[in-house]
């Protein structure tokens, strides 16, 4: 692979680019709407060049990586469609996969065989290329969700790029991905955002009494609001399902407290602690 176009050179797109610059001899072209952002990405060494013209940006590229909020994908697919061929690999870094695949089918008429949807399970609460880190994906999980018609060459090359960044790559179907991520990523973000909403609605001075544990728990509430807005509506059924499931767990704790079930609530806490401690051993 000799040349890649990254659409959306922010935290994830910029980190992907920086990582590749450290491991591969690949020319990287940035595309976006804001020239100042692209100039900053070039100054930081994430991209070699950039263009505000999609025809120029896509000229001669082997792969185009879409690293923008998922609600923008339809417009991007429509924009790139006339200027790529079946040899040009398409991939993305969106946090929802079913909606991305559905949008691709809508725009292209069928899922392109050269499209390999991807989702790196890594990030920061900061956004923008200034926060980009070439080591961001090292030892992190990246999930690929190619459809049944995906060609082997495209999947192999996308996998190889992520592995070159030190990522652990796993392949699964989009429905499994969206359900798992709704539990392990989307739900925790909803909890962090809603907790901040609840506390700030109970007086502006409440946070003055929050300790370090609250800082750790609420960290992800500093994540990009527009990105998470898009995720909510592109994985709505799974997110709602798991919010309701979590409400059941909270109701159980309420019942234990109201009914004075000290042994039951302590056992719940013990089990939770053991589960987390065991999980951390593998990290």
């Amino acid at each position: 692979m000799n040349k890649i176009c990254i659409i959306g050179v922010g935290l994830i797109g910029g980190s992907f680019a920086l990582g590749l610059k450290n491991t591969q001899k690949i020319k990287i072209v940035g595309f976006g709407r804001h020239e100042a952002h692209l100039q900053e990405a070039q100054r930081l060494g994430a991209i070699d060049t950039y263009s505000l013209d999609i025809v120029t940006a896509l000229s001669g590229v082997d792969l185009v990586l879409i690293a923008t909020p998922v609600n923008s994908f339809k417009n991007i697919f429509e924009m790139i469609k006339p200027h790529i061929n079946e040899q040009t690999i398409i991939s993305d870094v969106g946090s929802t996969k079913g909606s991305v695949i559905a949008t691709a089918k809508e725009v292209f008429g069928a899922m392109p065989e050269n499209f390999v949807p991807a989702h790196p399970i890594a990030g920061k609460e900061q956004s923008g290329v200034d926060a980009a880190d070439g080591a961001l994906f090292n030892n992190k999980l990246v999930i690929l969700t190619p459809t049944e018609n995906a060609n082997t060459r495209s999947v192999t090359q996308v996998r190889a790029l992520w592995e070159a960044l030190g990522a652990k790559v796993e392949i699964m179907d989009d429905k499994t991905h969206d359900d798992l991520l709704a539990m392990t990523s989307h739900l925790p973000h909803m909890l962090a955002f809603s907790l901040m909403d609840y506390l700030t609605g109970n007086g502006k001075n409440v946070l003055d009494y929050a300790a370090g544990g609250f800082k750790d728990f609420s960290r992800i509430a500093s994540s990009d609001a527009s990105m998470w807005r898009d995720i909510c509506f592109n994985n709505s059924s799974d997110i709602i399902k798991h919010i309701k499931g979590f409400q059941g767990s909270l109701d159980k704790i309420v019942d234990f407290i109201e009914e004075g079930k000290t042994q039951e609530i302590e056992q719940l806490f013990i089990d939770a602690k053991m589960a987390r401690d065991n999980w951390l051993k593998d990290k």
Side-chain angles (χ1 to χ4, degrees):
M1 190 166 294
N2 299 310
K3 189 176 180 182
I4 291 174
C5 173
I6 298 179
I7 298 179
V9 193
L11 169 65
I12 301 299
S15 296
F16 181 85
L18 283 172
L20 285 184
K21 299 295 286 184
N22 293 333
T23 62
Q24 309 275 313
K25 291 183 179 180
I26 298 176
K27 183 175 182 181
I28 301 179
V29 181
F31 174 83
R33 296 176 298 171
H34 305 293
E35 187 167 16
H37 294 173
L38 293 168
Q39 288 175 337
E40 179 67 3
Q42 188 175 34
R43 185 189 70 79
L44 292 170
I47 57 176
D48 297 295
T49 186
Y50 67 86
S51 179
L52 302 178
D53 175 64
I54 194 62
V55 178
T56 302
L58 293 177
S59 177
V61 302
D62 302 296
L63 179 144
V64 52
L65 181 77
I66 304 169
T68 58
V70 288
N71 273 7
S72 67
F73 277 32
K74 182 177 180 181
N75 288 338
I76 291 172
F77 289 155
E78 291 173 341
M79 182 170 55
I80 69 174
K81 182 180 176 181
H83 310 297
I84 59 174
N85 57 46
E86 60 186 17
Q87 298 303 313
T88 309
I89 300 172
I90 309 167
S91 192
D92 76 298
V93 294
S95 296
T96 65
K97 305 294 16 140
S99 66
V100 168
I101 291 170
T103 302
K105 290 178 178 178
E106 178 186 352
V107 173
F108 291 98
M111 186 64 175
E113 295 180 4
N114 51 320
F115 187 13
V116 184
H119 179 206
I121 313 300
K124 301 178 181 179
E125 60 266 32
Q126 300 96 341
S127 59
V129 71
D130 289 337
D133 178 0
L136 183 65
F137 309 111
N138 187 45
N139 208 33
K140 297 296 193 303
L141 181 64
V142 173
I143 299 174
L144 307 185
T145 63
T147 51
E148 291 183 357
N149 69 325
N151 65 56
T152 302
R153 179 188 72 91
S154 297
V155 176
T156 299
Q157 293 201 38
V158 171
R159 180 172 199 146
L161 287 175
W162 285 110
E163 289 179 341
L165 302 184
K168 298 177 289 186
V169 179
E170 186 172 332
I171 295 177
M172 66 178 63
D173 66 88
D174 60 288
K175 291 183 175 60
T176 300
H177 167 277
D178 287 356
D179 185 55
L180 288 173
L181 269 293
M183 283 187 279
T184 60
S185 175
H186 306 166
L187 175 61
H189 278 81
M190 299 305 104
L191 300 181
F193 286 128
S194 63
L195 180 60
M196 291 302 302
D197 176 67
Y198 176 71
L199 293 184
T200 55
N202 277 277
K204 62 181 180 181
N205 296 324
V206 169
L207 296 180
D208 291 343
Y209 305 95
F214 176 78
K215 181 180 179 181
D216 294 338
F217 180 87
S218 62
R219 177 185 63 81
I220 54 178
S222 293
S223 300
D224 184 78
S226 60
M227 180 184 77
W228 281 98
R229 174 204 62 204
D230 289 358
I231 290 170
C232 280
F233 294 103
N234 283 279
N235 198 25
S236 57
S237 60
D238 284 325
I239 290 174
I240 291 170
K241 177 179 70 175
H242 292 301
I243 288 175
K244 290 180 176 179
F246 182 74
Q247 285 173 334
S249 183
L250 289 177
D251 289 340
K252 180 167 61 176
I253 292 175
V254 170
D255 290 341
F256 287 164
I257 296 172
E258 286 182 338
E259 297 170 15
K261 294 183 176 180
T262 57
Q263 290 184 335
E264 288 85 349
I265 199 166
E266 183 179 5
Q267 190 60 52
L268 185 150
F269 294 160
I270 290 171
D271 292 344
K273 172 179 167 50
M274 288 180 60
R276 186 176 189 275
D277 290 347
N278 289 333
W279 172 69
L280 287 175
K281 290 177 183 177
D282 297 328
K283 297 299 175 183

